[in-house]
Amino acid sequence: MTGVQFGELPYLTVADAALSCAFSPEGTSLAIGLRNGHIAVYSTLNWEVIQTWEAHDSSISKVVYSPDGSLICSASRDKTVRLWITESGVCQNTLIGHTDDVRCVSYSPHGHQVASASNDKAIRLWDPVTGDCCQILSGHEGRVNCVLYSPKGDYIASGSADFTMRLWSVVSGECRQTFQGHSDSIWGIVFSPHGDRVASSSKDTTIRLWEVESGKCRHILKGHTKEVNDIVYSLKSDQIFSVGRDCTVRAWDVQSGTCLQKLTGHGETIDCVAYSPRDGIVASGSQDNTVRLWDVSIEGSRHRPNSHSQNVYDVKCSPQGNVIASCSNDRTIRLWDVETGACLRTLRDHEKTVYCVAFSPQGNELGSGSFDRTVRLWDIKTGACLRILKGHTNFIYRIAFSAQGDQIASTSHGGEVRFWDATTGEQHQILKGHTEPVISVVYSPDSSLIATGSRDATIKIWHVGTLDCVNILIGHSNCVQDVVFSLGGDQIASASEDCTVRLWCVETGDCYWILIGHGDAVESVAYSNNGGLLASGSRDRTVRLWDVASGQCRAVVQNIQGGVIGVSWMPSTSANYLVTGCGNGAVLKWQVTEEEEEKCHVALCWSATSGALTVRGVSIQDVRGLSSLNKKLLKQRSEQNIEKKKMRVL
């Protein structure tokens, strides 16, 4: 089953693009405004449609419930606002006065007034009972895209194509505040439940969080790649959910301004988002004719993303084979359960990109190197940062533990290798010998030698005690991205930006094999547990498995999204498992089976991508104890190539 994301519920299929959606005040129903002018109402108990009716002659831009839930108010491009009795779908009133498309409508908290916004640049305040227009608020220089009452009902906020948001007094109609900062049209606005903050979303791809009283912008939320169409606060005011033209739903932490989660699945622009007042359900409506439902109350999926949000630069397996560590451009390190693919812990103290990780030989500590120029040592069990090693004056590219775990070597963009006492964190020596940045470093199995790979296209072998250079391996025509010793220590494998992998004799410096096949830079190499296979990962989106003895390619895994930046074999006595880290933030686990005729079969076990865990190689049979919603989700999201007889949901 692919693509199922934590907290995902079955989606709703509607007759046309879902341009607006709103939960009833009690959270018992969801109203959806469609591009064909219809309104559809669903029960949130079983997510079955209650009723639909033809509401407008043109597309519906907004639907909202009255505070008591008895009415649904709709705005349309037919220039009207209409009030509908929720139970019957009968039109109670039509508000006429706008001279152009009505873009948005909002009920006052007490229910005695309705505000509407239009392309005619005006905001109109209406008496919903009589249908009379009580007041017209003028001041925006462009069409008014959105309008909303504050929680207390004393203010109205409006967002416009003139790039500004305005705050109006409901009593006097005066503009009390103009919020400036966006560089394009404002599409959505939302007050925090307490009314002290207001957020705005824009065509400029950002969300801004403002203080209502002072008008100061406290956060600018960046992550969407296209315009942000709608936003909503969580009931606790701790999160904001946003949707946009990039087809994603994003959850943001209000206090820090960081993106907590990105939810994918829609195939077209998402126009609306709503938060249930009852059970932590978020609904997102799209032009792909679906409304997707997300349970954001689920512990673990609500407060942190399930994978890296940016490039993964390194992956390593623990010596015990039970934990995988990955690091990323998103400044975090993540620890994964090998069997399930679940994220066990996220380590967050680095201030910039984390480029490399390495387990201690005992497996109780993890080292990490960052572009913030520090090496950090972490306690695997608690996640605590034990020591910070400072001394590098430039980016750190790679770190390595000695075989005994008492020493750490780290390389830098500055071209040096620094040696540290792993227990005290004190720096012992500095090695300089390359003419360009040193990208990789590795200890020999007995820790008597280290090998370094550099942007100067050379590999150098050094005696650890004296730091004398004992050999220089020359042959690559571009940067050496990774070096690794064989299990016996007599061979070195190297990966390069020249698209090749080379195998070298440590003693003589001779090149055994030049392994050709990758179509782009080779980022990482790793020997299998028995030393017979070598895995190489490349930016050409492939992993290749090479026979060390013959130099033949035994398997190619293709079309790995984002390119492969890191590869690591899991310690195992019963089977071969390989882990890869990718440029799109994904971590994947593979099972490698050696077959006859010098071939290998590679099967994906699991992949952890942004907000999703994909499990392959399983059949679903005789599933019991599922709710009707989970049965529906299982059927919607199961792979199409699974035979019907393999899926029996009871």
Side-chain angles (χ1 to χ4, degrees):
M1 186 162 58
T2 61
V4 176
Q5 294 162 92
F6 297 108
E8 181 181 354
L9 298 174
Y11 58 82
L12 311 178
T13 301
V14 290
D16 206 339
L19 303 183
S20 179
C21 59
F23 283 98
S24 63
E26 300 83 10
T28 56
S29 63
L30 177 72
I32 305 168
L34 305 178
R35 183 164 53 193
N36 63 7
H38 287 65
I39 293 175
V41 181
Y42 284 77
S43 167
T44 60
L45 180 63
N46 55 15
W47 295 107
E48 297 294 335
V49 64
I50 300 172
Q51 59 179 329
T52 62
W53 66 86
E54 185 176 350
H56 290 272
D57 297 330
S58 188
S59 61
I60 296 175
S61 50
K62 190 71 174 180
V63 290
V64 294
Y65 280 88
S66 63
D68 62 5
S70 63
L71 299 174
I72 294 175
C73 186
S74 59
S76 170
R77 290 191 174 181
D78 66 8
K79 307 177 186 179
T80 69
V81 175
R82 294 187 177 180
L83 302 173
W84 309 89
I85 298 174
T86 301
E87 289 188 0
S88 64
V90 173
C91 182
Q92 187 182 71
N93 219 331
T94 301
L95 312 182
I96 299 174
H98 283 293
T99 59
D100 208 332
D101 298 359
V102 184
R103 308 286 299 194
C104 189
V105 67
S106 175
Y107 249 106
S108 64
H110 49 70
H112 301 320
Q113 197 175 73
V114 169
S116 59
S118 169
N119 282 359
D120 63 14
K121 305 179 184 180
I123 301 161
R124 287 178 176 258
L125 307 186
W126 309 84
D127 184 316
V129 177
T130 65
D132 294 335
C133 179
C134 309
Q135 199 168 14
I136 300 176
L137 310 181
S138 301
H140 281 296
E141 297 177 0
R143 67 175 182 268
V144 187
N145 297 318
C146 46
V147 64
L148 186 68
Y149 283 89
S150 65
K152 294 181 180 179
D154 50 347
Y155 291 110
I156 289 175
S158 59
S160 169
D162 65 9
F163 308 173
T164 70
M165 179 174 65
R166 290 175 179 253
L167 191 68
W168 310 82
S169 168
V170 171
V171 176
S172 67
E174 295 178 356
C175 179
R176 294 292 182 87
Q177 188 85 255
T178 300
F179 301 82
Q180 295 179 318
H182 284 294
S183 59
D184 213 323
S185 296
I186 296 174
W187 289 117
I189 51 178
V190 61
F191 281 96
S192 64
H194 299 298
D196 57 331
R197 300 285 180 93
V198 63
S200 57
S201 65
S202 171
K203 191 177 179 181
D204 66 11
T205 75
T206 70
I207 301 159
R208 288 177 177 256
L209 305 185
W210 312 82
E211 286 186 355
V212 170
E213 187 173 346
S214 66
K216 292 181 179 179
C217 180
R218 287 305 181 188
H219 284 299
I220 302 176
L221 312 184
K222 297 180 180 181
H224 282 286
T225 58
K226 294 182 180 179
E227 58 196 73
V228 188
N229 290 330
D230 199 11
I231 48 177
V232 65
Y233 261 97
S234 64
L235 295 183
K236 295 181 179 180
S237 300
D238 58 338
Q239 293 186 56
I240 283 178
F241 295 86
S242 60
V243 297
R245 196 175 177 183
D246 62 5
C247 306
T248 68
V249 181
R250 292 176 186 256
W252 306 85
D253 181 78
V254 171
Q255 185 174 0
S256 65
T258 59
C259 182
L260 299 174
Q261 193 167 2
K262 181 176 75 172
L263 302 172
T264 59
H266 283 294
E268 298 288 344
T269 296
I270 309 174
D271 283 300
C272 57
V273 63
Y275 193 99
S276 170
R278 187 175 66 170
D279 48 13
I281 302 296
V282 168
S284 56
S286 168
Q287 293 183 24
D288 65 7
N289 296 9
T290 69
V291 174
R292 289 186 177 264
L293 306 169
W294 317 91
D295 186 351
V296 297
S297 66
I298 294 177
E299 186 65 27
S301 68
R302 182 175 183 227
H303 294 291
R304 58 185 60 161
N306 299 299
S307 74
H308 292 289
S309 60
Q310 298 182 40
N311 299 24
V312 171
Y313 285 121
D314 199 9
V315 290
K316 291 290 189 297
C317 293
S318 66
Q320 293 78 17
N322 60 336
V323 176
I324 297 166
S326 60
C327 62
S328 168
N329 193 39
D330 66 10
R331 307 179 186 182
T332 70
I333 302 152
R334 291 182 180 269
L335 304 181
W336 308 86
D337 182 275
V338 163
E339 293 300 323
T340 67
C343 182
L344 303 173
R345 192 181 299 276
T346 303
L347 312 178
R348 303 176 181 271
D349 286 353
H350 278 295
E351 297 176 358
K352 293 185 179 181
T353 295
V354 188
Y355 204 75
C356 55
V357 287
F359 281 96
S360 66
Q362 297 76 23
N364 61 328
E365 292 187 10
L366 180 76
S368 59
S370 169
F371 281 11
D372 65 12
R373 306 175 187 178
T374 69
V375 175
R376 290 176 182 259
L377 300 181
W378 309 83
D379 185 295
I380 293 298
K381 188 175 182 180
T382 66
C385 181
L386 303 174
R387 288 173 292 283
I388 303 175
L389 314 184
K390 297 182 179 180
H392 281 290
T393 59
N394 220 314
F395 302 155
I396 296 172
Y397 286 126
R398 195 61 54 92
I399 60 173
F401 279 91
S402 63
Q404 296 74 29
D406 59 337
Q407 194 176 73
I408 296 172
S410 57
T411 71
S412 166
H413 186 78
E416 80 274 5
V417 181
R418 292 176 184 255
F419 296 88
W420 314 81
D421 185 297
T423 303
T424 65
E426 294 180 359
Q427 180 179 293
H428 285 171
Q429 293 172 295
I430 301 177
L431 170 63
K432 295 184 178 181
H434 286 282
T435 58
E436 294 286 343
V438 182
I439 306 300
S440 54
V441 63
V442 63
Y443 280 90
S444 63
D446 63 2
S447 294
S448 63
L449 301 173
I450 64 164
T452 55
S454 169
R455 199 166 281 176
D456 63 15
T458 69
I459 301 157
K460 294 189 177 185
I461 303 174
W462 312 81
H463 190 278
V464 171
T466 63
L467 296 188
D468 292 333
C469 182
V470 298
N471 223 329
I472 302 177
L473 312 182
I474 299 175
H476 283 297
S477 60
N478 209 328
C479 176
V480 179
Q481 292 291 92
D482 197 16
V483 291
V484 60
F485 277 96
S486 62
L487 300 184
D490 58 336
Q491 191 180 82
I492 282 178
S494 59
S496 171
E497 287 188 350
D498 65 10
C499 307
T500 70
V501 176
R502 290 179 180 248
L503 303 184
W504 310 82
C505 175
V506 171
E507 185 177 356
T508 66
D510 295 335
C511 181
Y512 288 129
W513 298 110
I514 303 175
L515 310 181
I516 299 174
H518 284 295
D520 205 337
V522 188
E523 296 289 337
S524 55
V525 286
Y527 282 95
S528 63
N529 298 319
N530 62 13
L533 292 176
L534 184 77
S536 58
S538 169
R539 290 191 180 273
D540 66 4
R541 298 167 58 186
T542 70
V543 171
R544 288 179 175 262
L545 300 181
W546 309 88
D547 187 280
V548 172
S550 66
Q552 297 298 309
C553 182
R554 298 184 61 180
V556 182
V557 184
Q558 299 178 314
N559 299 319
I560 302 175
Q561 295 298 315
V564 182
I565 311 301
V567 295
S568 179
W569 292 89
M570 289 172 46
S572 175
T573 57
S574 59
N576 280 332
Y577 292 99
L578 183 70
V579 177
T580 57
C582 305
N584 64 351
V587 176
L588 302 92
K589 176 188 172 183
W590 312 83
Q591 182 172 7
V592 179
T593 305
E594 297 189 53
E595 299 177 337
E596 297 179 357
E597 299 180 357
E598 298 184 348
K599 297 294 183 182
C600 290
H601 175 72
V602 184
L604 179 64
C605 300
W606 54 256
S607 66
T609 59
S610 185
L613 177 65
T614 300
V615 181
R616 295 185 184 273
V618 298
S619 63
I620 303 171
Q621 302 186 57
D622 299 331
V623 180
R624 299 176 184 272
L626 293 182
S627 67
S628 59
L629 289 181
N630 283 331
K631 289 180 182 179
K632 187 175 181 180
L633 174 62
L634 190 61
K635 291 177 180 179
Q636 285 180 342
R637 302 294 281 165
S638 295
E639 289 183 322
Q640 294 180 354
N641 61 354
I642 294 180
E643 300 177 16
K644 289 184 179 179
K645 66 180 181 181
K646 289 291 187 180
M647 170 177 277
R648 299 197 297 273
V649 182
L650 306 179

